[in-house]
């Protein structure tokens, strides 16, 4: 399984209304519920990997920005 978490993540970020975000979340829940138990395990592993990668990237971006801010 190779699910495109980034596309859902970006769609959620760029959703203009709460209703649009809820629709995206429901779409993801419906997809998850359609999976077999084995595919759910794979999905969860891929999701954990995606989240760890994104958190690492955000941490790196934060440090880069923080290092550019002059201190007094």
């Amino acid at each position: 399984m190779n699910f495109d978490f980034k596309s859902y993540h970006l769609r959620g970020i760029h959703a203009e209304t709460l209703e649009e975000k809820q629709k995206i979340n429901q779409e993801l829940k419906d997809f998850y519920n359609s999976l077999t138990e084995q595919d759910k395990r794979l999905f969860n592993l891929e999701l954990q990997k995606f989240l760890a990668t994104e958190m690492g990237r955000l941490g790196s971006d934060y440090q880069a920005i923080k290092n550019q801010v002059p201190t007094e």
Side-chain angles (χ1 to χ4, degrees):
M1 172 180 283
N2 193 9
F3 188 77
D4 187 4
F5 292 101
K6 189 168 188 168
S7 69
Y8 276 89
H9 178 64
L10 291 174
R11 285 175 58 204
I13 288 172
H14 296 293
E16 295 184 11
T17 65
L18 178 59
E19 291 79 20
E20 188 177 355
K21 285 183 183 192
Q22 289 172 336
K23 182 180 175 185
I24 293 166
N25 286 338
Q26 189 60 50
E27 183 181 330
L28 188 55
K29 287 177 185 178
D30 291 345
F31 175 78
Y32 183 82
N33 288 332
S34 75
L35 298 174
T36 64
E37 289 304 312
Q38 182 177 355
D39 284 342
K40 285 179 181 178
R41 285 190 287 275
L42 291 172
F43 180 94
N44 290 334
L45 288 172
E46 288 182 17
L47 176 58
Q48 289 175 17
K49 181 181 175 186
F50 172 77
L51 292 173
T53 301
E54 286 300 303
M55 291 302 294
R57 185 187 60 75
L58 288 172
S60 295
D61 290 351
Y62 172 78
Q63 285 301 322
I65 292 168
K66 183 178 171 184
N67 291 336
Q68 291 177 2
V69 175
T71 56
E72 295 181 61

